Amino acid sequence: MISEFYGPALAAANQYDRGVGYFTSNWLRLAGSGLAVFAGGGGRARFVVSPYMGAEDWAALNQGDQAKSDLLLYESLRSVVDDLPSALETQTLAALSWMIADGLLDIRIALPRGDLDGDFHDKFGIFSDELSDSIAFHGSQNDSAKAFRNYESISVFYSWIDGREAQRVSEHQHRFDKLWNNQDPNVRVFQLPDAIKKKLIQFTSTLGRPYNAPKAPKVSKESNKWIHQDAAVEAFLEKKHGVLEMATGTGKTKTAFKIIDELTERCAIKSVVITMSGTDLLTQWHKSAIMSSDLAVFRHFGRWKEASSFLSCRLPKVLIIARQQLNKVLPFLEDEDVSNALLVCDEVHGMGSPSMVRDLTGQLSRFKYRLGLSATPEREYDSEGNDFISAEIGPVIFEFGLEDAIKKGILCGFEYTALSYTLSNEDKVEIRQIIKRHHAKQAAGEAVSDEALYRDIARVRKTTKEKIRPFNDFLSEQPDLFKRCLIFVETAAFGRDVQSLLMEARVPYHTYFQSDESANLERFAEGKLECLVSCHRLSEGIDIQSVQNIVLFSSSRAKLETIQRLGRCLRTDPENPTKRAHVLDFVDFTNQDAVDGSADLDRYNWFTQLSNVIPQQDEIE
């Protein structure tokens, strides 16, 4: 097994993924020749294993630190782990420790859950090289010295042989990735935290590496694209509260978890409250919390009501909660609870709504750390809402906008098409009536805002039938631009007019309005639908990289909603590296109305300028 399979495979690979029931450091000794080449070349190995190891091996991993913060893991390890790094006597254990410290080996612990009450007992692995060729194997052998004295067998599959072999390799890789990311419902997987790796560096410092030190990884242009996240983290850690204004797709969620990890490692926080609106976005954050942190995760939105469990939990923890539920939970947090807690407000502009101002004044500022995230934090025509956000969460402390993101190659460039339309006489009469009613209310001393006036006028423009004809003409001429396409409309009634044209053009589509199931969005994300007709439910936070085209029947005077919708199609797609998006807009070039102003023309000029921004070639090579 060693001389004919493991050794040569390790020597040729730069990535090794292994799921195995039992792992011991003796395996490293037996596979030493191939492992030395693998480690010296900077290869990376990921192991998912059961928690049953010898005391010396556990000492080399220094796993006890993780067990302190997780009672379930502690109970599983208590009978096995009593010894700290006092048994570090052999080169084998030094190799294990150094590989963890150098980041060449990452080990996660698997415990069955749900209906399974036994052990994690699977045995499979995948070797991959720099050319993306892969070998998968599956069989009865554990990674221990005894396994090499047993009668064992493995089956091996090669990605380059034929389609059937490649499919088997892909299935094993997919299964491993699910385990690694804690997405298998039958197994709970625990990470070894960074604190362990740092301690390993300390207690291995007196022993040299028993293999050649790996070459320092090159700082790639790809990694350079994301250095703005580190700058954002530094800005927040310095200020302790404030808003990160980051364009959609530039990693607001990842940046937030980097902040959470840093504050947790510093022992500055014991709990996190993350809030936003919308079940889809809340679910997305919940998945990220499961995958990106070691904190106990609780949900309080939709059908999940876990706020009381969060409040009573004594472990490091995070609560994902709908914005509308905050006023029912925050009053129950004691001062000592929020003094070492972080509040994260995604799409922070939503926190400035009148109901939030009314219900939460004085509640958010109690948190020692307050983080706001948004591509568009400013609420137009709402000074009270903006003042509330600034006072309770903080001012903007970091900016990384759309133009920055496109130049860096984080977002793709786009083509812009503006179809001309002119309001009908009926539309113009309705606008004059809106203006007349507004002035009448002002004259009567009623409290009316310009924002309400602009919103009412904009609704006429968003729903005018005069956009239908130019849209139909464009649909006939450019049907390919309605693949991987989101169409934003103001109302379901207007959407029905659009749907009839899509049916005539035989464009596969579905709707995604308030009454529609989330399954429609999932089908679109999986590529089973080419086109989705929707309204504001898709404006914020949804990440579908394959979206390439958007149609803006409904576009607000305020940039907030427009930027959010533009962000839906500008995400880069690994499956389509040459992706260039397309935005279809509707502009009234004849609009000279003194009140309505030049909202369409302002948007046209902004889109035109932004569409001329080209990703810098040296950033995306």
Side-chain angles (χ1 to χ4, degrees):
M1 288 289 192
I2 291 292
S3 62
E4 295 183 13
F5 180 67
Y6 286 108
L10 281 167
N14 70 343
Q15 176 72 41
Y16 178 37
D17 292 334
R18 176 67 157 144
V20 64
Y22 297 100
F23 169 89
T24 73
S25 58
N26 283 328
W27 180 86
L28 300 180
R29 175 176 55 80
L30 292 170
S33 59
L35 196 60
V37 179
F38 179 81
R44 297 292 188 269
R46 301 185 297 177
F47 277 60
V48 176
V49 304
S50 71
Y52 301 106
M53 291 187 187
E56 289 184 344
D57 292 342
W58 276 120
L61 292 177
N62 195 14
Q63 47 62 58
D65 203 61
Q66 166 74 352
K68 293 177 186 176
S69 62
D70 196 295
L71 296 178
L72 179 59
L73 183 59
Y74 175 78
E75 290 299 327
S76 299
L77 303 180
R78 183 175 54 180
S79 62
V80 184
V81 184
D82 296 315
D83 201 17
L84 287 176
S86 59
L88 190 60
E89 299 174 351
T90 68
Q91 289 289 86
T92 302
L93 288 174
L96 176 60
S97 298
W98 271 114
M99 288 183 71
I100 293 287
D102 283 336
L104 304 182
L105 173 62
D106 198 351
I107 294 181
R108 296 186 180 180
I109 310 305
L111 295 174
R113 60 180 170 182
D115 295 333
L116 302 180
D117 58 2
D119 298 329
F120 176 74
H121 213 254
D122 209 346
K123 304 171 189 69
F124 70 104
I126 308 98
F127 294 99
S128 302
D129 67 11
E130 294 180 348
L131 300 178
S132 298
D133 286 330
S134 299
I135 294 172
F137 65 95
H138 189 241
S140 62
Q141 192 172 52
N142 283 305
D143 287 349
S144 65
K146 182 180 178 181
F148 291 96
R149 301 195 302 269
N150 294 339
Y151 183 91
E152 307 273 7
S153 65
I154 57 173
S155 299
V156 185
F157 312 102
Y158 305 87
S159 68
W160 60 89
I161 298 296
D162 56 34
R164 186 178 181 185
E165 289 272 299
Q167 178 65 25
R168 287 177 170 173
V169 173
S170 177
E171 288 173 355
H172 280 299
Q173 186 67 64
H174 177 68
R175 190 155 62 89
F176 179 86
D177 290 339
K178 281 185 66 177
L179 285 167
W180 187 259
N181 293 318
N182 202 25
Q183 294 174 337
D184 190 317
N186 299 304
V187 180
R188 185 176 178 187
V189 175
F190 300 85
Q191 298 183 35
L192 294 176
D194 288 340
I196 292 179
K197 298 175 184 178
K198 291 184 178 180
K199 289 182 181 178
L200 283 168
I201 293 173
Q202 292 174 10
F203 73 71
T204 60
S205 60
T206 57
L207 291 174
R209 293 178 181 84
Y211 57 84
N212 293 328
K215 298 176 183 178
K218 296 179 180 178
V219 178
S220 66
K221 292 174 182 176
E222 178 68 22
S223 64
N224 185 54
K225 287 169 32 174
W226 303 101
I227 59 174
H228 65 278
Q229 294 179 0
D230 296 329
V233 172
E234 289 180 13
F236 180 80
L237 294 176
E238 178 185 351
K239 301 293 185 181
K240 297 183 181 178
H241 55 84
V243 176
L244 306 182
E245 183 176 342
M246 298 171 63
T248 299
T250 59
K252 294 190 293 293
T253 303
K254 288 184 178 179
T255 302
F257 279 107
K258 285 183 178 182
I259 290 171
I260 291 170
D261 289 345
E262 184 63 30
L263 290 175
T264 302
E265 187 172 320
R266 295 181 182 186
C267 298
I269 59 172
K270 293 182 179 179
S271 61
V272 183
V273 175
I274 302 175
T275 186
M276 74 288 306
S277 185
T279 301
D280 295 321
L281 188 53
L282 285 156
T283 300
Q284 200 164 282
W285 269 90
H286 176 257
K287 290 179 180 178
S288 295
I290 292 291
M291 294 170 60
S292 303
S293 77
D294 295 322
L295 305 178
V297 182
F298 299 89
R299 288 173 283 185
H300 198 76
F301 61 89
R303 62 185 178 88
W304 294 280
K305 307 296 180 186
E306 299 173 354
S308 60
S309 298
F310 168 81
L311 292 171
S312 60
C313 178
R314 296 296 94 192
L315 298 173
K317 57 191 177 180
V318 58
L319 175 67
I320 316 292
I321 181 171
R323 187 185 298 150
Q324 297 79 3
Q325 298 294 321
L326 284 173
N327 66 323
K328 301 175 183 177
V329 175
L330 295 190
F332 292 96
L333 288 173
E334 302 291 341
D335 288 341
E336 63 177 306
D337 294 325
V338 294
S339 65
N340 54 16
L342 167 67
L343 173 69
V344 180
C345 301
D346 193 16
E347 307 299 350
V348 70
H349 47 269
M351 295 299 297
S353 69
S355 62
M356 295 291 108
V357 174
R358 181 190 66 237
D359 296 337
L360 296 177
T361 296
Q363 289 289 338
L364 309 183
S365 57
R366 297 169 60 212
F367 285 80
K368 181 176 182 179
Y369 298 93
R370 286 115 53 203
L371 172 63
L373 303 169
S374 182
T376 50
E378 186 78 10
R379 295 174 62 86
E380 296 196 35
Y381 317 115
D382 185 8
S383 58
E384 184 179 4
N386 289 327
D387 291 343
F388 172 81
I389 293 172
S390 181
E392 292 286 332
I393 300 169
V396 173
I397 58 175
F398 180 81
E399 296 180 51
F400 191 80
L402 280 172
E403 186 170 340
D404 298 319
I406 294 174
K407 284 182 178 179
K408 277 278 191 179
I410 296 171
L411 299 180
C412 69
F414 68 98
E415 303 288 344
Y416 176 55
T417 301
L419 300 183
S420 178
Y421 77 97
T422 303
L423 292 175
S424 68
N425 289 331
E426 291 81 2
D427 294 328
K428 293 175 182 177
V429 168
E430 185 175 354
I431 288 176
R432 286 196 290 270
Q433 290 296 324
I434 290 171
I435 296 171
K436 185 177 179 179
R437 288 194 296 269
H438 178 79
H439 289 318
K441 289 178 180 179
Q442 281 185 328
E446 293 186 33
V448 291
S449 66
D450 289 343
E451 181 184 12
L453 172 62
Y454 296 139
R455 185 172 58 245
D456 291 340
I457 294 174
R459 188 174 180 83
V460 176
R461 292 194 169 277
K462 291 175 181 180
T463 57
T464 179
K465 302 288 186 179
E466 300 305 309
K467 295 180 179 179
I468 296 296
R469 182 188 56 78
F471 172 74
N472 193 33
D473 293 342
F474 186 86
L475 177 60
S476 301
E477 296 169 2
Q478 302 280 355
D480 287 344
L481 291 180
F482 295 87
K483 295 177 180 178
R484 308 310 303 145
C485 179
L486 291 173
I487 300 178
F488 291 100
V489 297
E490 178 67 10
T491 64
F494 189 90
R496 284 192 287 271
D497 293 334
V498 175
Q499 292 169 55
S500 64
L501 299 181
L502 294 173
M503 283 189 285
E504 290 177 12
R506 297 187 177 181
V507 174
Y509 78 93
H510 211 294
T511 58
Y512 190 56
F513 298 125
Q514 296 290 348
S515 59
D516 291 321
E517 296 292 333
S518 294
N520 294 342
L521 181 62
E522 294 172 5
R523 290 175 64 205
F524 177 75
E526 294 168 357
K528 296 177 181 177
L529 294 172
E530 288 293 346
C531 183
L532 208 61
V533 182
S534 187
C535 56
H536 29 258
R537 281 190 71 186
L538 278 179
S539 291
E540 296 180 346
I542 303 305
D543 181 2
I544 303 175
Q545 295 172 323
S546 62
V547 176
Q548 187 157 354
N549 306 291
I550 61 170
V551 179
L552 298 175
F553 281 105
S554 173
S555 192
S556 295
R557 177 187 180 94
K559 274 189 178 180
L560 186 153
E561 184 180 273
T562 303
I563 290 175
Q564 295 285 355
R565 292 181 173 181
L566 177 62
R568 304 284 70 77
C569 70
L570 296 189
R571 295 178 187 270
T572 55
D573 182 2
E575 301 297 323
N576 183 13
T578 62
K579 172 181 172 180
R580 186 166 174 82
H582 183 266
V583 177
L584 181 63
D585 193 13
F586 299 84
V587 177
D588 182 359
F589 291 99
T590 67
N591 177 30
Q592 301 296 325
D593 189 284
V595 175
D596 195 16
S598 56
D600 275 9
L601 292 178
D602 287 345
R603 189 177 66 255
Y604 170 80
N605 291 332
W606 178 68
F607 268 137
T608 300
Q609 179 182 356
L610 197 59
S611 66
N612 289 326
V613 177
I614 304 297
Q616 296 174 5
Q617 192 64 27
D618 61 343
E619 294 291 353
I620 61 176
E621 287 179 347

